[in-house]
């Protein structure tokens, strides 16, 4: 079943349209990525889905439910979580306290959900009593992701979860993103690095200039001349 359908979204900053008729369909339990050059509107697109920005056009559905235009906190409670680029954790709180904050609107099942989430992230499970501010950058990114999972979302949006991390740790984060999909949450990741997106996501969207340029299963998108699309910027594939 379709977990998320962002249908022909339009977004503007003042008079400037930066997302035009952009569409993404995400199946339940699947892992899809959005790639595209700097300024292509990837972050703006996921912000509109998450309710952080109001759409100037288009519709957002979570399963059969329409979310278009709802405020961000209501979208989160309906089951769509969002982890922004440079997501912050509460540095003076411990790992477990950060997870409690993520789950504070849960009516029940807080402890069991903390255990389930820690099962996905072994690094965090080993550091439950550490203050978040003492974790590495990569671990803090994972804590932000873990916190977003506390409400057991149907869909999670991750905007560049591996930005600024070492190559070794980048793959650790991607492995854990894949484990998230195994627990029943569909994941849509914005990723600057095309090779990583193709290696880890099963379906890839290419956005250029605020709209869909190409999409398909990773193997099909890998065969496209992405270097030309990206105008030779770093991270594009050479052919
Ligand atoms: N708050 C803002 N006000 C005005 N313009 C903005 C704002 N945020 C982004 N923009 C512009 O909107 C366009 C799309 O930006 P966006 O951040 O969505 O792109 P992106 O694909 O996420 O880029 P990157 O790969 O650099 O993260 C860019 O031209 C950017 O300069
Ligand atoms: Mg961005």
């Amino acid at each position: 079943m379709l977990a998320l359908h962002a249908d022909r979204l339009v977004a503007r900053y003042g008079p400037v349209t930066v997302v035009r008729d952009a569409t993404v369909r995400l199946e339940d339990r699947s892992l899809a990525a959005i790639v595209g050059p700097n300024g292509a509107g990837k972050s703006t697109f996921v912000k509109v889905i998450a309710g952080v920005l109001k759409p100037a056009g288009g519709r957002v559905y979570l399963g059969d439910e329409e979310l278009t235009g709802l405020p961000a906190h209501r979208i989160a409670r309906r089951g769509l979580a969002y982890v922004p680029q440079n997501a912050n954790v509460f540095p003076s709180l411990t790992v477990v306290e950060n997870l409690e904050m993520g789950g504070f609107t849960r009516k029940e099942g807080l402890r069991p959900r903390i255990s389930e989430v820690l099962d996905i992230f072994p690094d965090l499970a080993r550091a439950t009593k550490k203050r978040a501010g003492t974790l590495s950058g990569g671990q803090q990114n994972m804590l932000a992701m873990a916190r977003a999972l506390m409400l057991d979302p149907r869909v999670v949006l991750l905007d560049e979860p591996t930005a600024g991390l070492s190559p070794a740790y980048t793959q650790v984060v991607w492995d854990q993103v894949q484990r998230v999909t195994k627990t029943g949450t569909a994941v849509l990741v914005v990723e600057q690095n095309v090779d990583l997106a193709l290696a880890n996501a099963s379906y890839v969207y290419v956005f250029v200039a605020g709209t869909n340029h190409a999409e398909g299963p990773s193997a099909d998108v890998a065969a496209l001349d992405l270097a030309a699309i990206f105008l030779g910027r770093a991270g594009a594939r050479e052919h």
Side-chain angles (χ1 to χ4, degrees):
M1 223 192 132
L2 214 50
L4 174 71
H5 185 192
D7 187 27
R8 287 167 292 166
L9 296 188
V10 179
R12 301 197 178 100
Y13 292 112
V16 185
T17 302
V18 299
V19 172
R20 50 195 110 221
D21 298 331
T23 294
V24 159
R25 291 182 190 81
L26 184 69
E27 296 288 334
D28 272 314
R29 296 163 192 269
S30 69
L31 174 49
I34 304 176
V35 301
N38 287 111
K42 307 178 297 293
S43 293
T44 303
F45 180 75
V46 293
K47 281 178 192 165
V48 169
I49 296 172
V52 174
L53 288 174
K54 294 278 176 236
R59 291 166 180 268
V60 178
Y61 298 92
L62 186 70
D64 298 332
E65 261 189 291
E66 183 165 4
L67 304 180
T68 319
L70 292 179
H73 67 276
R74 290 194 41 205
I75 288 179
R77 287 194 197 187
R78 298 275 185 104
L80 191 148
Y82 164 59
V83 183
Q85 210 168 330
N86 310 313
N88 287 314
V89 294
F90 299 104
S92 60
L93 299 185
T94 66
V95 166
V96 160
E97 287 165 348
N98 269 275
L99 296 180
E100 287 168 354
M101 296 294 284
F104 90 105
T105 60
R106 281 185 83 98
K107 292 188 183 68
E108 54 193 25
L110 182 64
R111 292 294 137 201
R113 185 61 186 160
I114 289 177
S115 311
E116 283 171 12
V117 167
L118 288 173
D119 280 344
I120 304 173
F121 302 96
D123 267 22
L124 300 178
R126 281 190 290 269
T128 52
K129 297 204 167 62
K130 273 195 173 179
R131 286 183 199 279
T134 68
L135 301 176
S136 72
Q139 290 168 338
Q140 291 188 27
N141 287 10
M142 287 207 281
L143 181 55
M145 206 191 307
R147 195 177 57 190
L149 293 174
M150 280 303 298
L151 296 182
D152 210 353
R154 183 168 180 177
V155 170
V156 59
L157 310 174
L158 304 175
D159 195 351
E160 299 205 24
T162 66
L165 303 186
S166 70
Y169 210 74
T170 291
Q171 193 54 51
V172 172
V173 172
W174 268 107
D175 290 345
Q176 275 152 48
V177 170
Q178 296 197 337
R179 291 168 68 156
V180 169
T181 64
K182 306 271 186 304
T183 68
T185 297
V187 186
L188 179 62
V189 184
V190 175
E191 173 59 66
Q192 281 269 355
N193 185 307
V194 177
D195 291 328
L196 282 171
L198 292 171
N200 289 286
S202 45
Y203 199 89
V204 173
Y205 290 88
V206 183
F207 278 20
V208 176
T211 199
N212 297 73
H213 186 88
E215 66 176 84
S218 303
D220 296 355
V221 172
L224 302 174
D225 188 0
L226 288 173
I229 295 170
F230 279 65
L231 298 169
R233 61 182 279 280
R237 294 169 72 85
E238 303 288 339
H239 285 278

